[in-house]
Amino acid sequence: MNVPEKFTKKPALPWNFRELFVNGKRAIRARYPNVNQNNPYIYTSSSSPNQLTISEGKVKKSWGAESDAQINIVPRWRFFNQWNDVVGVNQETATITIGPREQHGEIDKGSWFWIEGVKEELDMPGEWYLDHQLGRLFYKPLQGELPNNSEIIAPYLNRIFYLKGDIETGAYVKNIYFQGLNFQHTSFTLGQIEARVHTDCAVMFENTEHCSITDSYFENIGGYAFWLHLDSKNNIFDNNTVKNSGGGGVLLTGARLSYMDDTKIFTAGEKAAKVFPRLNRITRNTVAHCGKIRYYGGGVHIDSRPASMAMEPGNYIAHNHFSDLSRNGIFAFRNQGGNVVEFNEIHDCMQTTIDGAAIHFATMNRLAAPNFIMNNYLYDIWGYEQLLNATPRRTLANGIFLDWATSNTTLKNNVIYNAGDKEIKPIMGNWNLQIENNLASKTKIEPIYNEQLKNIGAVITSAEKNKILYKGNWQNKQIAGMRNLFKYNCQQAAPDSAAECTYLLPINESGKYKLCFMYFPDEKSASNAKISVQYASGVETLEWNFRKGDPLGFAVRVGEYYFEKGKPAAIKISNENANGYIIADGVGIIKQD
C-alpha cells in the first residue's frame, strides 16, 4: 500500500477492488460512521505529518488490523479530498497512523473524514466488504434483494480504451471515431501524485488528432469519462452522457499537473513539457451525479499548460448540461487562454468542497490569450463546509470565479443565481476584464437567452391534417422545385365543385401577428380565390391571386392581424366563383410585438 497504483493492462490482484455495483448502483464499502447518520463524518482534533487524532474513545482496534482500509478525508483549504491508507491505530491516544500515499494537504483541526474497508463496520444494508486475501466478498443486502436475482459487478479495469501517440517521436493517433458505445464499471487507483488532478478514466486520448467520441454513454466509472493528454488537438466529445462517475466528465492535461512544480510530472520528456490539448470541442454533453470518489472534479477540468502556450488557442466548451457535481462545473488552471465557454447550463455544483465556482478560471498569468465566458446559465452553487455540529456551512461558492489574476476575459450575457458567495468574483488584480449584461440574483431568474428561443409564431403545412379542416374535393399535387432539385406535395381543389380549407392558427400569446401564405404560383391557379381571416376583432374577407407569388415558393405576406389567446383564430381559402385551382400548401404567423 506504499506504492502508487497506476494503470495496468492486467491488474495483479483481481480480488482487490474498492468499488462494487449492485443492480446498477454503487454500493457502500463498509464504513464508519454510516452514511445514514445525521453527521456521517469524524473530525480531527489534532494531527502530525503521519498521524491524526480524534475524540477519545472513537478509535477501534479493528481499524488498524485491516490490510486495505482507507480514510477519505478533506484536509486544510477544504477544496479537495485525499485517500490515505490506515497503517495502524492507538486506542489509548485516539490516533490513526496513515501511510505515505496521497499526503497532499495538511490535516488540521476540523478536517472531516470517514474510514472504510473494515469488516467490523459491515452493519448497514447496502454495505459490502472484501477479504481480498481470502478472495471472499461479503454484502449486506437491501430489503428485497436476493443474490440470485441481483446483478453484482466488481470493476476489473481502470481504463477501457487508450489511444496513445508518442510526443517525443511526433507520432499521432488520427481519425479514430467512437460512436454509440456504452462504457461502464471501471475502478479507481490510490497514490495519485496530485489531489486536484486524478488520472483515472474510462477512455484516454494521448497525442491524438481528429478523433471523436459521440452519442455514447458512461456510467458507474471510477474516474473521469474522457481524458485528453499532451498534444491532442481537433478532437470532439459530443452528445455523450456521463452519470455517477468517481471523478467527472472530461479532463485535459499536460506533462506537469496542477501548479506545475517539478514534483508533479506525469509524463517526462522535453517535448512533452511544451504541449497541451487545444482546439478540441466539448459540446452537447450531459454530466451528472459525479465526484463520488474524487471531489476535485467536475464537468470539464482544463489543467495547467506551459507558460509558452499562454497566448495560443484553447478549447471550445458549449451547450453542455452539468449538474449534481462535487466541485466546479468547468475549471481552467494555469496559463489557460483562448477558451470559449458558452451556452452551458450548470447547477447543483460545489456540493462537497468550497472555494470554487460553477465556472472557475485560475490562470495565474495576466498575459494569457482572451477567454470568453458567455450566455451560460448557472445556479444553485452550494459550497458546503462540514462542521462539528452537523450543520454544513455555505461559503466560498461562486457563479463565475476569476481567480489568481485571471485576465483578458469577457463575461457577457450570463445568468447566475443562488451562489454561496459571489455571483461574479474577480480577485488578485485582474487585467482587462469585460463584464457586461450579466444577470445576478440570490433568487431564481430565467436565462436571458430564453427570450431568443421562445416560440414567436407557427407554420402549418398541408400535411398537418389535425390543424386543417378540408371540405370538398381536394387532390394531391406534386411540385418540383428549383429545376427538379427537390419535390414535395401539397393539396389543390378544382373550381368545378365547391371546396374550402381552414387553417386553425395556434395563438399561445395575444398580440399582433404577420400572416403569410406559402405556395408556388401557377397560371392554372385562381386569381380570385376567396380568403377569410378570423381574428380578434372579427372576420376580414379578401381576394387572393394564386397566379402570383414568390417563384421559389417562399412565404408571401397576407397582412397583419391582432389575435387573442383563447379566441378563434383561422384563415379560410375557398374556391367560391374561382377561375382556377385553389392551393393548400402552407401558412405561417410571426408575432410582431
Side-chain angles (χ1 to χ4, degrees):
M1 67 171 54
N2 294 330
V3 179
E5 297 172 348
K6 296 183 178 180
F7 161 72
T8 57
K9 291 184 178 179
K10 185 177 181 181
L13 293 172
W15 280 87
N16 190 24
F17 49 87
R18 300 187 186 93
E19 287 188 290
L20 189 74
F21 299 95
V22 179
N23 296 325
K25 296 182 179 180
R26 181 180 274 107
I28 300 167
R29 195 171 175 220
R31 55 167 280 178
Y32 179 86
N34 283 336
V35 72
N36 61 359
Q37 298 298 304
N38 288 334
N39 190 348
Y41 303 103
I42 309 170
Y43 298 82
T44 57
S45 55
S46 64
S47 69
S48 61
N50 297 312
Q51 286 187 330
L52 54 95
T53 304
I54 62 175
S55 300
E56 186 176 346
K58 284 197 172 182
V59 170
K60 300 180 183 180
K61 183 179 179 180
S62 60
W63 297 356
E66 290 288 348
S67 60
D68 191 39
Q70 289 84 33
I71 60 169
N72 177 15
I73 191 165
V74 177
R76 187 181 181 186
W77 302 112
R78 311 297 189 243
F79 53 72
F80 62 84
N81 69 320
Q82 60 193 39
W83 289 86
N84 297 124
D85 299 297
V86 177
V87 299
V89 300
N90 187 319
Q91 288 184 282
E92 292 183 2
T93 58
T95 57
I96 300 172
T97 302
I98 59 176
R101 290 195 298 201
E102 299 196 21
Q103 290 198 25
H104 298 304
E106 177 189 348
I107 299 174
D108 61 349
K109 184 177 180 180
S111 294
W112 65 87
F113 70 95
W114 72 75
I115 183 170
E116 67 173 54
V118 180
K119 185 177 182 181
E120 184 181 334
E121 306 303 340
L122 183 63
D123 57 0
M124 188 186 82
E127 286 188 336
W128 66 276
Y129 169 81
L130 173 68
D131 188 327
H132 63 87
Q133 293 178 331
L134 296 178
R136 184 170 295 172
L137 173 64
F138 299 85
Y139 175 68
K140 195 173 182 66
L142 296 169
Q143 185 175 0
E145 281 185 335
L146 297 173
N148 291 341
N149 297 329
S150 297
E151 180 188 64
I152 301 175
I153 296 175
Y156 184 65
L157 300 175
N158 55 19
R159 195 172 303 158
I160 298 174
F161 280 107
Y162 186 9
L163 273 56
K164 186 179 187 300
D166 189 331
I167 185 62
E168 300 302 322
T169 64
Y172 290 83
V173 178
K174 299 182 180 181
N175 304 315
I176 304 295
Y177 312 112
F178 299 89
Q179 184 176 24
L181 300 180
N182 193 342
F183 302 93
Q184 290 184 311
H185 307 119
T186 59
S187 63
F188 69 97
T189 57
L190 298 181
Q192 299 283 329
I193 64 173
E194 169 54 54
R196 300 165 190 80
V197 192
H198 43 93
T199 54
D200 295 309
C201 67
V203 180
M204 181 177 180
F205 286 6
E206 178 177 335
N207 256 48
T208 61
E209 288 185 358
H210 300 290
C211 298
S212 66
I213 303 176
T214 60
D215 307 319
S216 294
Y217 188 80
F218 298 77
E219 186 175 21
N220 292 336
I221 53 180
Y224 282 95
F226 180 44
W227 178 14
L228 283 162
H229 189 48
L230 297 182
D231 195 24
S232 292
K233 52 197 176 187
N234 295 305
N235 301 287
I236 293 173
F237 190 75
D238 177 70
N239 199 35
N240 302 289
T241 298
V242 181
K243 290 186 176 181
N244 300 309
S245 79
V250 181
L251 172 67
L252 296 84
T253 59
R256 284 174 167 80
L257 305 183
S258 190
Y259 290 102
M260 299 182 64
D261 62 78
D262 289 338
T263 65
K264 305 294 174 63
I265 299 175
F266 187 86
T267 303
E270 182 179 352
K271 292 183 179 179
K274 299 177 181 179
V275 296
F276 189 89
R278 56 201 167 93
L279 300 173
N280 301 289
R281 298 177 65 86
I282 302 166
T283 55
R284 301 192 307 153
N285 303 289
T286 297
V287 179
H289 320 307
C290 294
K292 303 299 183 183
I293 306 297
R294 303 287 182 178
Y295 296 168
Y296 208 107
V300 177
H301 180 109
I302 309 173
D303 202 43
S304 300
R305 66 179 182 177
S308 60
M309 292 187 69
M311 289 294 184
E312 293 197 21
N315 298 278
Y316 183 67
I317 305 167
H319 299 281
N320 300 287
H321 184 194
F322 301 151
S323 66
D324 191 18
L325 307 173
S326 57
R327 190 158 172 77
N328 305 306
I330 298 170
F331 178 68
F333 210 5
R334 195 168 191 166
N335 302 317
Q336 286 297 338
N339 297 286
V340 176
V341 177
E342 63 179 356
F343 292 104
N344 300 284
E345 181 175 356
I346 304 171
H347 61 95
D348 292 290
C349 55
M350 298 295 300
Q351 292 197 7
T352 57
T353 57
I354 64 172
D355 202 13
I359 299 177
H360 184 180
F361 274 50
T363 65
M364 304 180 73
N365 186 346
R366 291 193 177 106
L367 303 179
N371 291 298
F372 297 88
I373 303 172
M374 305 178 298
N375 300 297
N376 299 285
Y377 189 28
L378 316 172
Y379 56 97
D380 294 342
I381 306 122
W382 299 105
Y384 285 130
E385 181 178 15
Q386 303 296 331
L387 301 176
L388 284 167
N389 64 6
T391 302
R393 175 176 61 186
R394 285 188 73 187
T395 183
L396 298 179
N398 308 285
I400 300 175
F401 190 10
L402 301 183
D403 198 359
W404 283 100
T406 295
S407 300
N408 310 316
T409 300
T410 296
L411 309 184
K412 187 176 180 180
N413 297 340
N414 298 286
V415 177
I416 309 164
Y417 73 85
N418 191 23
D421 190 9
K422 305 292 185 182
E423 285 79 22
I424 297 175
K425 184 177 182 179
I427 64 170
M428 298 186 181
N430 318 74
W431 286 2
N432 190 28
L433 299 182
Q434 304 296 321
I435 303 176
E436 58 183 81
N437 201 34
N438 300 284
L439 294 182
S441 174
K442 295 299 180 185
T443 57
K444 183 175 180 178
I445 48 178
E446 294 295 333
I448 23 183
Y449 49 82
N450 265 13
E451 291 298 313
Q452 303 166 16
L453 300 176
K454 73 177 186 179
N455 190 338
I456 60 169
V459 173
I460 305 172
T461 68
S462 60
E464 298 179 79
K465 301 298 178 61
N466 62 326
K467 297 178 181 178
I468 305 176
L469 303 177
Y470 289 100
K471 290 183 179 180
N473 184 21
W474 288 86
Q475 296 178 338
N476 184 68
K477 179 182 180 182
Q478 187 176 77
I479 296 175
M482 187 58 76
R483 302 183 184 93
N484 292 315
L485 182 63
F486 61 90
K487 295 180 180 180
Y488 77 102
N489 296 317
C490 64
Q491 301 294 312
Q492 68 177 8
D496 53 4
S497 62
E500 64 181 36
C501 72
T502 303
Y503 293 85
L504 305 177
L505 304 178
I507 305 301
N508 297 316
E509 185 177 339
S510 299
K512 182 181 288 186
Y513 288 80
K514 181 188 292 185
L515 178 61
C516 302
F517 273 147
M518 294 174 290
Y519 61 92
F520 275 89
D522 191 325
E523 288 300 316
K524 296 181 180 179
S525 297
S527 64
N528 62 344
K530 183 179 178 181
I531 306 298
S532 300
V533 180
Q534 186 176 16
Y535 61 110
S537 299
V539 176
E540 181 181 12
T541 301
L542 60 152
E543 192 174 90
W544 192 261
N545 187 353
F546 280 107
R547 297 176 185 176
K548 294 183 179 181
D550 188 275
L552 297 176
F554 295 147
V556 291
R557 180 179 178 275
V558 176
E560 292 187 2
Y561 300 89
Y562 186 86
F563 295 103
E564 192 169 319
K565 183 179 179 180
K567 285 191 174 182
I571 180 169
K572 181 169 68 174
I573 305 170
S574 169
N575 69 351
E576 182 181 349
N577 299 321
N579 58 6
Y581 288 91
I582 59 173
I583 304 298
D585 189 348
V587 301
I589 51 172
I590 307 170
K591 197 168 187 298
Q592 301 298 291
D593 52 8

